[in-house]
Amino acid sequence: MGHSRQRRIEEIIVHEAALFAALFVGALVQTALLPRPFDVPINLMLLLAVCHGLIAGTTSAARWAFYGGLALDLCAMTFIGMHALALLTGVIVSTALVSRLSRENWLVPMLGVAIGTILYHAVYALFLTLIVAPVDLQGYALAALVPDTLIAMIPALPLYLVFRWNEDRVRRRVPVDVY
């Protein structure tokens, strides 16, 4: 994308390691520092991955979801891969569905985060049922799915606008207002 030469393997490895380190710090913040309104943690990794995916595409979002999920698995001390696969499912499906809509529509990030959160919790509940113990679906939906979806939709638009502003700044695009 705009590079006249291919990046060397060392540059790619350093870039990916830096991305994983940044997402690991984000997972630490999510698990240890962020407040838990209604005793539900804010799913920062899902927010970051979906909003980034709406800007950069599904492939890049899948990478962010995988790294963020592994970081969450390490920070939350769950089975390795549970958060990663749940995040991958939610992010890939939501960005693939919502990326076809106009980027100028401000409801797009909220819809993407809502779809991603619902799929994330569906896959995570499935893994909990298969690996740990059966999950009461009605209780899980009322205690985790609905509050997390509503809480995650609140910062979705500001975060998306920050990502979009950063992309426009990096690409030096001039905003055009059409009335």
Side-chain angles (χ1 to χ4, degrees), residues 89-137:
T89 304
V91 168
I92 289 173
V93 172
S94 69
T95 56
L97 290 176
V98 178
S99 65
R100 298 180 192 281
L101 301 174
S102 171
R103 285 183 49 194
E104 302 303 320
N105 188 347
W106 285 15
L107 295 177
V108 166
M110 291 188 281
L111 179 65
V113 168
I115 293 170
T117 304
I118 291 168
L119 290 172
Y120 168 80
H121 279 289
V123 172
Y124 193 73
L126 176 69
F127 283 140
L128 284 176
T129 301
L130 293 175
I131 296 173
V132 180
V135 174
D136 174 30
L137 294 179

Side-chain angles (χ1 to χ4, degrees), residues 133-145:
V135 174
D136 174 30
L137 294 179
Q138 184 179 12
Y140 185 79
L142 289 176
L145 176 67

Side-chain angles (χ1 to χ4, degrees), residues 26-39:
L28 280 174
V29 167
Q30 177 180 330
T31 56
L33 297 177
L34 283 182
R36 295 173 175 253
F38 306 111
D39 204 29

